[in-house]
């Protein structure tokens, strides 16, 4: 099966995208809701948590690991690849590929958690693909807690989004990478404040397409993955808000299984 982990519920946007792209494949999701958010923690702590999350998924039978968390992707990908003998996908590279292909002016904005933005990983990968790009990054630490609280349509959320995006808008970005898997949940608010002409890069869609392309061209991994369209959802802390928001993201009722990390 395909194993997906995130610090909380944001990675469910990746799970939804993978389910859409690969509906026949079994998927197991783990949300580390007891220790969310990862974006405010040190790189060492994020690496530790990501390694534990990956080990849990491998123990459950994962033959592909998907890091559905930008903070973990930015600092822990190499560690996970070194330790686990399975293909590992992160959400940063596919989003960068999509952004550099679609931008017209080469003026790219990136929003994410403090951990993701301070890592500089997006700037590095964008310049590897498009050396002439002008990149404007902005940490948006309040957005994850707002999404986790279910404040997707609150005026306060729209006001904070506007405050965060104003410096990027004044620099006339034509492409904006949503550098956190929580952000697609409030994409309408972000699009409204960024402007309708700005291309939104949803990393959940980008990574799901990359996984599908990989599976379609690798017969050995096809033989290892179970197919039945079965999905399982694990969390390290069950909250009513998680269940409510999960239903909205996935457009279905799900059963949450509690595990202690």
């Amino acid at each position: 099966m395909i194993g997906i982990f995130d610090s909380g519920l944001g990675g469910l946007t990746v799970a939804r995208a993978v389910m859409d792209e690969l509906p026949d494949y079994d998927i197991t999701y783990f949300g580390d809701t007891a220790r969310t958010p990862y974006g405010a923690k040190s790189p060492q702590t994020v690496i530790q948590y990501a390694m534990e999350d990956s080990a849990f998924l491998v123990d459950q039978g994962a033959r592909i690991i998907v890091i559905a968390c930008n903070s973990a992707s930015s600092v822990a990908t190499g560690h996970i690849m070194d330790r686990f003998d399975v293909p590992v996908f992160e959400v940063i590279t596919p989003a960068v590929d999509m952004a550099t292909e679609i931008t017209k002016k080469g003026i790219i904005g990136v929003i994410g958690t403090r951990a993701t933005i301070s890592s500089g990983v997006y700037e590095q990968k964008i310049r590897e693909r498009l050396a002439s790009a002008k990149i404007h990054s902005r940490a948006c630490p309040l957005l994850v807690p707002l999404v986790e609280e279910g404040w997707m349509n609150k005026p306060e959320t729209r006001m904070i989004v506007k405050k965060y995006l104003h410096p990027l808008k004044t620099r006339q970005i034509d492409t904006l990478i949503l550098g956190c898997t929580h952000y697609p949940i409030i994409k309408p608010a972000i699009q409204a404040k960024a402007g309708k002409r700005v291309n939104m890069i949803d990393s959940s869609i980008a990574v799901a397409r990359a996984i599908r392309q990989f599976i379609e061209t690798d017969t050995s991994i096809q033989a290892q993955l179970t197919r039945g369209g079965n999905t399982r959802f694990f969390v390290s802390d069950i909250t009513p808000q998680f269940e409510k928001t999960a239903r909205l993201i996935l457009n279905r009722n799900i059963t949450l299984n509690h595990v202690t990390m």
Side-chain angles (χ1 to χ4, degrees):
M1 59 84 173
I2 301 169
I4 305 170
F5 79 83
D6 181 42
S7 63
L9 58 79
L12 289 172
T13 60
V14 175
R16 173 67 184 270
V18 173
M19 290 160 63
D20 289 344
E21 291 285 339
L22 297 161
D24 296 335
Y25 286 84
D26 294 344
I27 294 170
T28 296
Y29 179 85
F30 173 67
D32 195 7
T33 47
R35 303 188 292 195
T36 195
Y38 284 4
K41 295 177 171 61
S42 70
Q44 293 77 15
T45 298
V46 174
I47 291 168
Q48 175 193 331
Y49 290 174
M51 296 292 277
E52 293 170 358
D53 300 344
S54 300
F56 170 76
L57 290 173
V58 170
D59 288 345
Q60 292 295 315
R63 292 298 175 261
I64 290 177
I65 292 176
V66 185
I67 312 171
C69 171
N70 279 262
S71 299
S73 294
S74 66
V75 298
T77 299
H79 296 271
I80 294 170
M81 294 176 72
D82 288 342
R83 178 171 172 184
F84 301 100
D85 188 24
V86 297
V88 177
F89 286 83
E90 39 80 16
V91 290
I92 294 172
T93 301
V96 168
D97 289 342
M98 186 180 289
T100 52
E101 288 171 5
I102 203 171
T103 183
K104 296 293 192 295
K105 298 189 296 183
I107 308 175
I108 301 172
V110 183
I111 55 174
T113 65
R114 285 197 180 101
T116 298
I117 298 303
S118 64
S119 74
V121 66
Y122 273 102
E123 289 88 341
Q124 175 191 339
K125 288 183 177 290
I126 290 171
R127 289 201 170 94
E128 287 173 357
R129 290 155 179 77
L130 187 63
S132 63
K134 296 179 181 178
I135 308 160
H136 304 285
S137 302
R138 178 81 160 151
C140 305
L142 293 177
L143 296 187
V144 169
L146 288 169
V147 171
E148 293 279 346
E149 284 298 317
W151 282 32
M152 280 75 78
N153 299 310
K154 296 280 188 178
E156 293 88 348
T157 300
R158 292 191 291 271
M159 178 185 69
I160 290 169
V161 168
K162 181 179 180 180
K163 177 83 171 175
Y164 281 145
L165 292 185
H166 179 71
L168 304 184
K169 192 171 182 179
T170 59
R171 288 170 173 80
Q172 298 184 319
I173 62 170
D174 74 337
T175 303
L176 179 63
I177 297 176
L178 305 182
C180 174
T181 52
H182 283 72
Y183 297 174
I185 302 169
I186 54 171
K187 185 157 54 174
I190 296 173
Q191 183 77 75
K193 301 307 178 184
K196 62 182 180 180
R197 295 183 179 178
V198 175
N199 298 306
M200 292 285 147
I201 305 300
D202 184 336
S203 58
S204 62
I205 295 173
V207 71
R209 290 175 180 172
I211 296 166
R212 176 177 54 78
Q213 291 168 3
F214 172 72
I215 292 173
E216 288 177 347
T217 56
D218 191 317
T219 55
S220 64
I221 197 66
Q222 290 176 26
Q224 296 177 51
L225 294 171
T226 54
R227 302 179 68 169
N230 299 310
T231 55
R232 295 183 298 164
F233 299 89
F234 294 88
V235 290
S236 52
D237 185 34
I238 296 179
T239 65
Q241 186 56 53
F242 185 99
E243 292 182 292
K244 178 182 178 181
T245 306
R247 286 195 297 270
L248 289 174
I249 295 170
L250 298 171
N251 195 30
R252 61 192 290 188
N253 290 323
I254 63 172
T255 299
L256 296 178
N257 302 285
H258 180 256
V259 293
T260 301
M261 299 300 289

